[in-house]
Short mmCIF file of all heavy atoms in Angstrom, two decimals:
data_model
loop_
_atom_site.label_atom_id
_atom_site.label_comp_id
_atom_site.label_asym_id
_atom_site.label_seq_id
_atom_site.Cartn_x
_atom_site.Cartn_y
_atom_site.Cartn_z
N THR B 109 40.40 -52.67 -56.69
CA THR B 109 40.00 -52.08 -57.97
C THR B 109 40.11 -50.56 -57.95
O THR B 109 40.45 -49.93 -58.94
CB THR B 109 38.53 -52.48 -58.28
OG1 THR B 109 38.43 -53.90 -58.27
CG2 THR B 109 38.09 -51.95 -59.64
N VAL B 110 39.83 -50.00 -56.79
CA VAL B 110 39.74 -48.55 -56.68
C VAL B 110 41.09 -47.94 -56.29
O VAL B 110 41.38 -46.79 -56.60
CB VAL B 110 38.68 -48.19 -55.61
CG1 VAL B 110 38.62 -46.71 -55.37
CG2 VAL B 110 37.33 -48.72 -56.03
N LYS B 111 41.89 -48.76 -55.65
CA LYS B 111 43.15 -48.28 -55.06
C LYS B 111 44.02 -47.51 -56.05
O LYS B 111 44.55 -46.45 -55.73
CB LYS B 111 43.94 -49.49 -54.54
CG LYS B 111 44.68 -49.24 -53.27
CD LYS B 111 45.14 -50.57 -52.64
CE LYS B 111 46.50 -51.00 -53.16
NZ LYS B 111 46.90 -52.31 -52.55
N GLY B 112 44.10 -48.06 -57.26
CA GLY B 112 44.94 -47.44 -58.27
C GLY B 112 44.52 -46.01 -58.56
O GLY B 112 45.35 -45.12 -58.70
N LEU B 113 43.22 -45.80 -58.62
CA LEU B 113 42.71 -44.46 -58.90
C LEU B 113 43.07 -43.49 -57.78
O LEU B 113 43.55 -42.38 -58.03
CB LEU B 113 41.19 -44.48 -59.07
CG LEU B 113 40.54 -43.11 -59.25
CD1 LEU B 113 40.98 -42.47 -60.56
CD2 LEU B 113 39.03 -43.20 -59.18
N PHE B 114 42.88 -43.93 -56.55
CA PHE B 114 43.20 -43.06 -55.41
C PHE B 114 44.69 -42.72 -55.40
O PHE B 114 45.07 -41.58 -55.14
CB PHE B 114 42.81 -43.74 -54.10
CG PHE B 114 41.33 -43.82 -53.86
CD1 PHE B 114 40.42 -43.39 -54.81
CD2 PHE B 114 40.84 -44.34 -52.67
CE1 PHE B 114 39.05 -43.47 -54.60
CE2 PHE B 114 39.46 -44.42 -52.44
CZ PHE B 114 38.57 -43.99 -53.40
N ALA B 115 45.51 -43.72 -55.71
CA ALA B 115 46.96 -43.49 -55.74
C ALA B 115 47.31 -42.48 -56.83
O ALA B 115 48.11 -41.56 -56.62
CB ALA B 115 47.69 -44.81 -55.97
N ARG B 116 46.67 -42.65 -57.96
CA ARG B 116 46.95 -41.76 -59.09
C ARG B 116 46.57 -40.32 -58.76
O ARG B 116 47.28 -39.37 -59.10
CB ARG B 116 46.17 -42.25 -60.32
CG ARG B 116 46.43 -41.42 -61.54
CD ARG B 116 45.80 -42.04 -62.77
NE ARG B 116 45.92 -41.15 -63.92
CZ ARG B 116 45.39 -41.41 -65.12
NH1 ARG B 116 44.73 -42.54 -65.31
NH2 ARG B 116 45.54 -40.57 -66.11
N ILE B 117 45.45 -40.17 -58.10
CA ILE B 117 45.01 -38.83 -57.71
C ILE B 117 45.98 -38.22 -56.70
O ILE B 117 46.30 -37.04 -56.77
CB ILE B 117 43.57 -38.88 -57.15
CG1 ILE B 117 42.60 -39.19 -58.28
CG2 ILE B 117 43.21 -37.57 -56.47
CD1 ILE B 117 41.20 -39.52 -57.81
N GLY B 118 46.46 -39.05 -55.79
CA GLY B 118 47.44 -38.57 -54.83
C GLY B 118 48.72 -38.12 -55.53
O GLY B 118 49.29 -37.08 -55.20
N ARG B 119 49.12 -38.88 -56.51
CA ARG B 119 50.36 -38.60 -57.23
C ARG B 119 50.20 -37.37 -58.12
O ARG B 119 50.99 -36.43 -58.07
CB ARG B 119 50.70 -39.81 -58.10
CG ARG B 119 52.16 -40.10 -58.24
CD ARG B 119 52.39 -41.30 -59.16
NE ARG B 119 51.48 -42.41 -58.94
CZ ARG B 119 50.62 -42.89 -59.84
NH1 ARG B 119 50.54 -42.33 -61.05
NH2 ARG B 119 49.83 -43.91 -59.56
N GLU B 120 49.13 -37.36 -58.91
CA GLU B 120 49.00 -36.33 -59.94
C GLU B 120 48.45 -35.02 -59.42
O GLU B 120 48.74 -33.96 -59.95
CB GLU B 120 48.09 -36.84 -61.06
CG GLU B 120 48.71 -38.00 -61.83
CD GLU B 120 47.80 -38.49 -62.95
OE1 GLU B 120 46.72 -37.90 -63.16
OE2 GLU B 120 48.21 -39.47 -63.62
N GLN B 121 47.62 -35.08 -58.38
CA GLN B 121 46.97 -33.85 -57.94
C GLN B 121 47.29 -33.48 -56.50
O GLN B 121 46.78 -32.48 -56.00
CB GLN B 121 45.44 -33.96 -58.10
CG GLN B 121 45.04 -34.60 -59.41
CD GLN B 121 43.70 -34.08 -59.93
OE1 GLN B 121 43.19 -33.06 -59.49
NE2 GLN B 121 43.13 -34.78 -60.87
N GLY B 122 48.10 -34.31 -55.85
CA GLY B 122 48.46 -33.99 -54.48
C GLY B 122 47.30 -34.04 -53.51
O GLY B 122 47.29 -33.36 -52.49
N PHE B 123 46.30 -34.84 -53.83
CA PHE B 123 45.08 -34.89 -53.02
C PHE B 123 44.96 -36.28 -52.40
O PHE B 123 45.02 -37.28 -53.11
CB PHE B 123 43.87 -34.59 -53.90
CG PHE B 123 42.59 -34.40 -53.14
CD1 PHE B 123 42.09 -33.12 -52.91
CD2 PHE B 123 41.87 -35.49 -52.66
CE1 PHE B 123 40.90 -32.94 -52.22
CE2 PHE B 123 40.68 -35.31 -51.96
CZ PHE B 123 40.20 -34.03 -51.75
#
Side-chain angles (χ1 to χ4, degrees):
Chain B
T109 304
V110 176
K111 217 166 88 181
L113 175 66
F114 288 4
R116 182 172 173 184
I117 290 169
R119 215 182 317 118
E120 294 180 2
Q121 317 211 15
F123 189 102

